[in-house]
Structure formats: C-alpha cells, structure tokens
Amino acid sequence: MTEPQVLETRRALERAIHVERLALAHDLAELSEAQWAKTSLCGRWTVEEVVAHLTAGAGTGLWRWLLSMLTARFDPDLHNDRRLAEHRGATPEETLRRFRAVVSGPAGPTGHTAAWLGEIVVHGEDIRRPSGLVRTPPVATTTAVARFFAGRDFTVASKTAIAGLRVEATDGPFATGSGELLRGPTLSLVMGMAGRAAACEDLEGDGAEVLRARLRSG
C-alpha cells in the first residue's frame, strides 16, 4: 500500500494532523514579536490570530461548535472571530502555550477529518510564508488534502477554483479534471485551491493564469 493510500484512513489522517500541529508549534517557538504581529496569508488575521484560530478548532467540541454557529446565526466569520478571541492569549507566548496544549487533541469538532488536515496544512503555510519559514509536509499529507479539496467546496471554494482545469502535481500522484493544464507542487496546488493567490507563483501551465484571475476576482 502506498503512502497516499494509507492516509485515506481516518486514523492516518488524524496522525498527520498531529504531526503538522507539532511541526508548527516547533516553528512558532522561533518567531519574534514582530513576526507574530505580521499579516498572514489569510489577509484579515495576523499570525498570532491564525494560531488562536487553530487552537479553537482543536479545542472546541461538536456541541460547543454547533452552539457557537447558532448564536452567530451561521455567520462563519463571526463564529471564527469569537472562538479566536476566546483562545488567544494575552501574549504570543501564552497563545503558543494554548496551541501546544491541543497539539495531540481531537482533529476538529466535526468528523470531516480530511478538512481538518487541510486546516492545519493551509494555515501552517498562511503563517510560515510571511514569517520566512519553510516546511513541505509529506506528499501523502498534501495529496490527501488535495483530493478532498478537489472533491467538494467545504470551508473554502476549492472545487470551484479548479473547475474546468486539468490539475497535476509534479511531486506526487494527485491529478484530476480536464481542460487547461495547471501543474505544480501538491502543497502549492492545495494553497491555490484554498484561495491563496501567492501560491500561483509556484504553478505553471495555462491553467495557472486562469486560477490567478479567479482568485483576483473572488
């Protein structure tokens, strides 16, 4: 059985989540105060706020999550901002301690394990790129996320982003669709599907310009 096939099981996906959380916690320990305050690739959140958001996802149970969504009238931005504020510390050091406390915790409040793997992979890049940090998760990890993103619009419009394109990874087995070619590292394809325009710099083919235009107009 190949590595990407192994990650098709829920237990393997959960292990991958814990690996990525631990790697991010390690990288965060090296950040300066200025780096914690940098704007992430999320745009409206700083690096520290993204970390608090990740802590909230790992530290909020299903019923608490549902209640939060209900009281936010199913506005995901309001829900996320409230939970972020709840899990952010008074200082970056405290925010990091809170994140470390959930590294080995549940994948997320719902059973969409591949989505929560995508959450830590994408937000890990949201944090690392502006901070000058580099990490490429195992290709099995990024392949699992790419397959999930290509299959449906869940928390991001990932399937819509690549509609009508032939998408091929240059470092792994991921391939899907037909149309103008979009090629590149699996991690960059994942980030592009997640709406991060910066990832287009790593992509090639006529489909890269199509994706770039879609992200600009979105």
Side-chain angles (χ1 to χ4, degrees):
M1 185 174 290
T2 64
E3 190 180 14
Q5 290 173 322
V6 171
L7 282 195
E8 290 174 1
T9 69
R10 181 168 180 171
R11 182 171 296 180
L13 291 168
E14 289 173 345
R15 285 198 298 267
I17 289 171
H18 296 151
V19 167
E20 293 309 311
R21 285 177 183 166
L22 186 62
L24 181 58
H26 175 78
D27 286 347
L28 291 169
E30 305 300 319
L31 296 188
S32 66
E33 187 171 341
Q35 286 173 309
W36 276 98
K38 273 184 172 290
T39 301
S40 73
L41 291 189
C42 284
R44 69 190 189 95
W45 286 344
T46 66
V47 165
E48 184 177 3
E49 287 169 333
V50 175
V51 175
H53 169 70
L54 288 170
T55 304
T60 304
L62 175 59
W63 294 111
R64 181 75 178 94
W65 183 83
L66 289 172
L67 178 62
S68 176
M69 285 294 290
L70 181 63
T71 57
R73 298 184 179 182
F74 296 96
D75 179 340
D77 290 337
L78 179 57
H79 156 80
N80 285 328
D81 286 343
R82 286 175 173 175
R83 299 287 69 75
L84 180 160
E86 179 183 0
H87 289 84
R88 183 178 183 177
T91 64
E93 291 76 15
E94 185 179 350
T95 299
L96 178 55
R97 283 197 298 272
R98 293 182 178 189
F99 178 67
R100 282 174 171 159
V102 301
V103 161
S104 59
T110 70
H112 304 90
T113 315
W116 298 114
L117 178 58
E119 177 102 336
I120 183 64
V121 168
V122 170
H123 284 321
E125 277 293 283
D126 287 340
I127 290 167
R128 289 186 177 99
R129 284 203 181 203
S131 304
L133 301 172
V134 178
R135 171 177 166 78
T136 302
V139 69
T141 296
T142 51
T143 299
V145 176
R147 288 175 176 170
F148 181 83
F149 278 6
R152 63 190 297 189
D153 291 341
F154 188 63
T155 56
V156 291
S158 48
K159 182 179 180 180
T160 298
I162 58 169
L165 301 178
R166 173 62 183 176
V167 186
E168 296 180 358
T170 55
D171 60 345
F174 176 68
T176 189
S178 60
E180 293 181 284
L181 181 62
L182 176 65
R183 296 179 74 248
T186 315
L187 178 59
S188 297
L189 293 173
V190 163
M191 295 300 291
M193 285 189 277
R196 277 42 173 190
C200 292
E201 299 172 7
D202 309 326
L203 304 175
E204 60 186 21
D206 291 340
E209 185 53 43
V210 174
L211 177 61
R212 186 178 290 109
R214 288 176 179 175
L215 297 183
R216 281 199 300 261
S217 63

